[in-house]
Amino acid sequence: MATTDHETLRILMNHRSIRRYKPDPVGDDVLLQLVQAAQMASTSSGVQAFSVISVRNPDTKKKLAALSGNQVYVEECPLFLVWCADMHRLEIAGTVGVGEPVKSARNTEQFLIATVDVALAAQNAAIAAEAMGLGMVYIGGIRNHIDEVSELLGLPELVYPVFGMCIGYPDQEPLLRPRLPLEAVLHEERYDDTRQADHISAYDQVYRAYMSERSGGKLTGSWSEAMAAKIPVPARTHLLAYLEKQGFRLE
């Protein structure tokens, strides 16, 4: 008979992005447990197409903070992890396996496999971190200057940074960010968009109240307004050229 791990659910349902940390260091023992938890995430056909780079050096964190859009918490967090999709190791594995060079297909499917693998692994680590009393926040800004980040971290061909992750002991208690109504994301048997506009309108009211409380009344915009401003703007258009330079053929 299946049982429910209420503590795990409590952790999942109380996730908040933490951007301010106590000065306490995150020890090597904790780092190892986080990465071991990451390794136990599901992975396509056992390929385990990810690597993670831990960064504690203040100078390196300062450079990464600047490259990520001057996000000061990247510099200030005790531990910064860069989660990378990694098909490079698989070519090495293929060569070990048959005793001669093996080159992967390097196509869109392998790109997706590696991207999904690293996302699943990182989320495992995020949940593990919160279970251990740590806080974290993802840093997509690591892709702002992805060439420079790759050079700084010495990334070889077929490895690319997907996002960063600040980790440390929380020094803040931010509000829980509300999510869309369950009915907007859960579909039965077939995709149903007949009431999406209604669900979004209802969420807008909740979102406005959240933003107002979070900003002390300075921000009162809705989620739909934020998305209307965001989605027409092409973001990080340099990524395709970078990925092709790293050896992927997105076709």
Side-chain angles (χ1 to χ4, degrees), residues 156-197:
E157 190 179 50
L158 294 182
V159 178
Y160 72 95
V162 179
F163 41 68
M165 180 187 287
C166 297
I167 294 181
Y169 294 96
D171 195 26
Q172 63 176 164
E173 286 283 343
L175 296 171
L176 278 174
R177 182 187 287 267
R179 297 307 201 238
L180 283 160
L182 183 63
E183 296 83 1
V185 299
L186 176 62
H187 304 263
E188 297 289 345
E189 307 299 338
R190 292 173 58 85
Y191 193 99
D192 178 12
D193 67 356
T194 57
R195 296 199 60 207
Q196 282 288 3

Side-chain angles (χ1 to χ4, degrees), residues 145-161:
H145 299 280
I146 198 165
D147 280 285
E148 292 91 334
V149 169
S150 298
E151 183 178 356
L152 180 63
L153 300 177
L155 302 186
E157 190 179 50
L158 294 182
V159 178
Y160 72 95

